[in-house]
Amino acid sequence: MGFLIRMAFWFSLVLLALPLNVGSDEAGHQSVGPIQALFAAREAVGDIAGICERKPDVCETGKSAMHTITARARETAKIAAAMLDDKTAEPDTATTTGSVPVAVVLPAKVDLPVKVDLPAKN
């Protein structure tokens, strides 16, 4: 979802930067040029960056969330590295599945006398 929001934001900036002269619309709103759009985006980013001064509890929660995410990512990376480095792992023979017991399995080569009856030629 975050990817879609970022994509829409950047796509809207690209559309604003294109040199299209559309003039004003029916409601009398003037079109925005690329320089004005760039300044407005810069002010919006500055306003978002200033949220820590207005609401410190939001920044504290964000810092705690980032700390939790990085700790979980670090632990997950350690587990993945341990699984990849574990070369002594052997197949699990303790688990019983629905396979056929070894006593029932036929050998690879079977030598049986074969009697072939060919049909008589007319």
Side-chain angles (χ1 to χ4, degrees):
M1 185 64 154
F3 170 74
L4 293 175
I5 293 171
R6 285 192 304 255
M7 186 180 71
F9 172 75
W10 289 110
F11 186 66
S12 64
L13 283 182
V14 167
L15 287 178
L16 287 173
L18 291 176
L20 300 174
N21 189 9
V22 292
S24 62
D25 60 2
E26 301 85 35
H29 296 107
Q30 291 294 323
S31 64
V32 177
I35 302 296
Q36 292 170 328
L38 182 64
F39 285 134
R42 199 169 105 194
E43 287 180 28
V45 170
D47 186 46
I48 291 171
I51 197 168
C52 289
E53 295 171 2
R54 292 189 311 267
K55 297 191 178 208
D57 58 328
V58 172
C59 284
E60 267 316 302
T61 305
K63 287 178 187 177
S64 297
M66 288 305 294
H67 176 71
T68 303
I69 290 170
T70 54
R72 287 184 181 176
R74 190 177 304 120
E75 290 300 317
T76 304
K78 285 180 185 177
I79 291 170
M83 291 175 86
L84 290 174
D85 289 341
D86 190 18
K87 297 177 183 169
T88 60
E90 298 194 13
D92 183 18
T93 57
T95 305
T96 305
T97 62
S99 61
V100 180
V102 177
V104 178
V105 177
L106 295 175
K109 184 177 180 184
V110 178
D111 291 324
L112 296 175
V114 178
K115 181 178 178 185
V116 179
D117 292 328
L118 297 175
K121 292 184 181 180
N122 290 340

